[in-house]
Amino acid sequence: MSDQFDVVVIGAGPAGYVAAIKAAQLGLKAACIEKWVDTSGKQKLGGTCLNVGCIPSKALLESSEQFAKAKHEFADHGISTTEVSMDVAAMMARKNKIVNNLTTGVAGLFKGNGVTSIEGMGRILSPTQVEVKNHKGELSTVDAKNIIIATGSVPIEIPPTPLAEGVIVDSEGALAFESVPKRLGVIGAGVIGLELGSVWARLGSEVVVLEAQDKFLASADQRIAKEAFKSFTKQKLDIRLGARVTGSDVKGQEVVVKYQDKEGDKEITFDKLIVCVGRRPYTKDLIAPGVDVKLDERGFVYVDDQCRTTIPNIYAVGDVVRGPMLAHKGSEEGIMVAELIAGKKAKMNYETIPNVIYTHPEIAWVGKTEEELKAEGVAYKAGSFPFAAVGRAMAANDTTGLVKILADAETDRILGMHVFGLHASELIAQGVIAMEFASSAEDLALTCFAHPTLSEAVHEAALAVENHAIHMVNRKK
Ligand code: FAD
Ligand code: NAD
């Protein structure tokens, strides 16, 4: 006889493991099926995010930033060092330790909350039954009153640059280089390209990023994107826009990449090439024939705004469904679905999901960009404030960037906040909270912010919406 659960979650990434924990906390009998195992057959929880995504990339970003600071900035503070060097193996070991702490932490959370963790590949046989094939090939089934699909996403591969062991890699490979490549190519100036390009550039690689689009960071506010482009170029990230990759030729330990831009056909040689042109939803072998869970035209599991699929007791959350591919978006969907299954009212606010790009400085935003508001014909006011005028940013030796706030012209309600600057990933939470509470720009302007802090730029940007910034000569009268 198979086990019966109130909720069976397939996939233990940040969408799935959070859904399983929340369901258990709400008193439901929950199980989570995860197929990822290490070479010894030990199950690995945490999905892309913890194993090969958010966490390891941020660990390397942090290490490389410390290295760059020691090399280029310590002298400004009057600190002298002898030759600064980088031990890539030690940097990777630190990253692996952090990953291990967090993934084993999820196992502990499962245990502590009473979630049954099942190792293996899950396949939905019917709306109430899931088959599990473990890494040894053994089959079992679990009965489920409700199923949550949380199978995530995988990198997109493109025909001109098929992966080639050790030379052409995806983001996972780029998190595990054994040494600093001299010439590093990156295809795609998106989030991964900029983050991993930054890591290796700081460690000494000559980085060239080939981006097909003519516009840099097309989905970001374009004032921020322009400032960021200037700053990254200064950091020696050679970002080539309008560059369409047409082919590649691996020759021993290097690769020749062919691409076209407006000047014509070009070639460039790299020691390593990272392909990061987006990710696609992963549903391979997930749904048995006859089970009517529909996919949309792009291969995402089709869901409504409460993550219900086309079968009433089957839900789907995270990267495998529409919306931004972000860990926190998936986790919030997981919580919403667990609450719905437990009979609670739950709804997610998709308008206030923050986006962060962990470059230096960081880029972060929430809500609408100025370009989106223009396209939608919304009348708005804008206020911005540069970090160059913020004492704390000067003290930190990091004055690049600005905060920009967009508010409705009539109601003053905040419609978007955009930050390019030190700790933008932390500052953006202020915009998220303000928008979640339907705050006006004036509400923020009337709030007392601690001095000296980077947050003062948020305060001044809110004041600047009505042209009342204190530490800036107001241009409009
Ligand atoms: P995943 O994390 O992909 O987890 C899905 C899990 O399901 C996997 O463990 C997989 O093995 C398992 N699975 C799949 N099919 C089956 C099956 N049939 N049976 C059993 N198990 C199955 N997002 C951020 O918000 N912030 C960041 O800083 C950030 N950085 C990133 C950096 C990199 C390099 C990458 C690649 C991604 C990054 N992301 C970041 C994106 C983030 O990792 C994803 O949005 C997030 O992991 C999605 O969570 P998920 O649970 O939907 O899917
Ligand atoms: P992305 O969508 O952010 O960027 C891909 C880039 O590649 C785009 O600019 C696109 O125009 C370009 N591109 C596509 N095809 C190309 C081609 N043939 N030649 C040249 N350029 C091409 O995708 P990504 O960087 O791979 O990241 C995948 C997902 O992971 C993203 O959706 C992102 O949300 C998530 N992620 C998030 C974070 C974060 O939150 N900080 C970090 C990493 C990844």
Side-chain angles (χ1 to χ4, degrees):
M1 213 181 100
S2 64
D3 286 329
Q4 172 148 45
F5 294 93
D6 295 318
V7 183
V8 169
V9 183
I10 308 177
Y17 86 72
V18 169
I21 290 172
K22 186 70 190 177
Q25 286 175 348
L26 291 169
L28 300 167
K29 190 175 174 201
C32 186
I33 305 169
E34 171 57 57
K35 68 178 171 58
W36 203 328
V37 289
D38 65 17
T39 43
S40 68
K42 186 169 165 262
Q43 191 187 33
K44 293 179 86 175
L45 302 174
T48 303
C49 173
L50 265 48
N51 289 288
V52 292
C54 323
I55 296 300
S57 60
K58 267 79 245 177
L60 296 187
L61 277 157
E62 197 61 44
S63 297
S64 62
E65 200 171 325
Q66 301 290 350
F67 176 71
K69 273 199 175 138
K71 241 183 136 115
H72 307 297
E73 267 190 53
F74 276 13
D76 291 348
H77 294 272
I79 303 169
S80 54
T81 51
T82 50
E83 186 61 29
V84 178
S85 61
M86 168 50 73
D87 177 346
V88 174
M91 178 179 76
M92 292 296 173
R94 189 190 89 96
K95 173 206 74 171
N96 294 341
K97 195 169 160 206
I98 296 166
V99 167
N100 194 43
N101 279 346
L102 284 167
T103 53
T104 51
V106 175
L109 288 172
F110 274 180
K111 213 166 164 204
N113 283 286
V115 174
T116 302
S117 186
I118 302 170
E119 182 263 298
M121 170 86 191
R123 183 163 176 261
I124 302 173
L125 295 181
S126 79
T128 55
Q129 206 169 43
V130 182
E131 176 192 78
V132 184
K133 187 181 197 176
N134 71 14
H135 75 281
K136 295 177 188 152
E138 296 158 350
L139 289 176
S140 60
T141 53
V142 283
D143 290 335
K145 288 189 190 152
N146 298 279
I147 296 170
I148 304 177
I149 299 170
T151 48
S153 64
V154 289
I156 293 175
E157 288 185 39
I158 49 172
T161 53
L163 300 191
E165 176 89 39
V167 183
I168 306 182
V169 299
D170 59 15
S171 55
E172 184 173 348
L175 291 167
F177 288 159
E178 285 170 2
S179 59
V180 180
K182 185 167 180 322
R183 299 162 301 175
L184 175 65
V186 177
I187 304 186
V191 198
I192 296 181
L194 294 174
E195 291 186 358
L196 294 182
S198 297
V199 166
W200 295 105
R202 287 174 198 159
L203 298 180
S205 296
E206 294 155 16
V207 179
V208 176
V209 185
L210 301 173
E211 165 59 49
Q213 292 198 53
D214 294 323
K215 216 183 222 178
F216 180 59
L217 290 178
S219 58
D221 188 278
Q222 282 305 293
R223 175 157 175 214
I224 300 284
K226 283 196 180 86
E227 295 278 336
F229 189 84
K230 260 195 289 177
S231 169
F232 300 156
T233 305
K234 262 197 223 158
Q235 294 170 40
K236 303 226 169 2
L237 277 183
D238 178 353
I239 303 167
R240 302 185 187 177
L241 300 174
R244 208 171 57 81
V245 176
T246 52
S248 62
D249 202 355
V250 176
K251 292 178 178 159
Q253 284 310 299
E254 55 181 39
V255 53
V256 179
V257 174
K258 300 180 181 105
Y259 69 96
Q260 286 173 341
D261 62 14
K262 53 181 185 307
E263 291 161 0
D265 290 334
K266 294 193 176 157
E267 275 190 11
I268 182 163
T269 303
F270 300 114
D271 302 304
K272 301 254 187 231
L273 178 68
I274 310 173
V275 182
C276 39
V277 294
R279 295 176 64 84
R280 61 179 172 81
Y282 182 77
T283 53
K284 191 165 178 266
D285 299 331
L286 176 69
I287 302 159
V291 180
D292 198 22
V293 172
K294 293 226 162 31
L295 305 186
D296 70 16
E297 65 286 352
R298 292 161 63 213
F300 291 91
V301 175
Y302 172 79
V303 287
D304 66 10
D305 61 358
Q306 287 178 307
C307 291
R308 290 189 180 86
T309 69
T310 38
I311 294 185
N313 66 321
I314 303 185
Y315 299 78
V317 294
D319 279 11
V320 78
V321 304
R322 84 285 174 266
M325 287 183 164
L326 296 171
H328 43 283
K329 173 260 192 187
S331 297
E332 289 305 312
E333 287 179 334
I335 290 172
M336 169 177 72
V337 164
E339 288 182 332
L340 289 172
I341 292 172
K344 291 178 174 291
K345 287 203 171 84
K347 200 152 178 19
M348 209 178 128
N349 184 359
Y350 284 92
E351 303 297 315
T352 54
I353 298 171
N355 283 276
V356 179
I357 308 179
Y358 294 83
T359 42
H360 188 88
E362 294 171 345
I363 302 170
W365 73 93
V366 57
K368 303 279 185 185
T369 63
E370 203 162 340
E371 290 73 26
E372 283 170 335
L373 293 177
K374 276 186 189 145
E376 290 168 17
V378 176
Y380 65 92
K381 307 174 277 187
S384 60
F385 196 81
F387 285 106
V390 175
R392 184 65 189 274
M394 290 177 209
N397 216 21
D398 227 322
T399 52
T400 305
L402 70 150
V403 175
K404 173 171 167 180
I405 291 177
L406 300 166
D408 188 286
E410 219 171 289
T411 65
D412 196 38
R413 185 173 173 160
I414 298 174
L415 302 174
M417 178 165 133
H418 304 267
V419 187
F420 176 50
L422 184 63
H423 302 316
S425 57
E426 303 293 342
L427 295 177
I428 200 61
Q430 300 176 19
V432 175
I433 295 167
M435 286 183 66
E436 193 63 47
F437 284 76
S439 151
S440 64
E442 190 185 24
D443 289 330
L444 267 189
L446 291 172
T447 304
C448 180
F449 285 70
H451 174 74
T453 57
L454 297 169
S455 302
E456 286 174 293
V458 176
H459 190 208
E460 291 274 17
L463 283 160
V465 168
E466 288 298 344
N467 209 26
H468 292 152
I470 299 293
H471 295 91
M472 189 166 56
V473 177
N474 297 304
R475 272 168 258 125
K476 294 177 256 167
K477 279 275 181 294

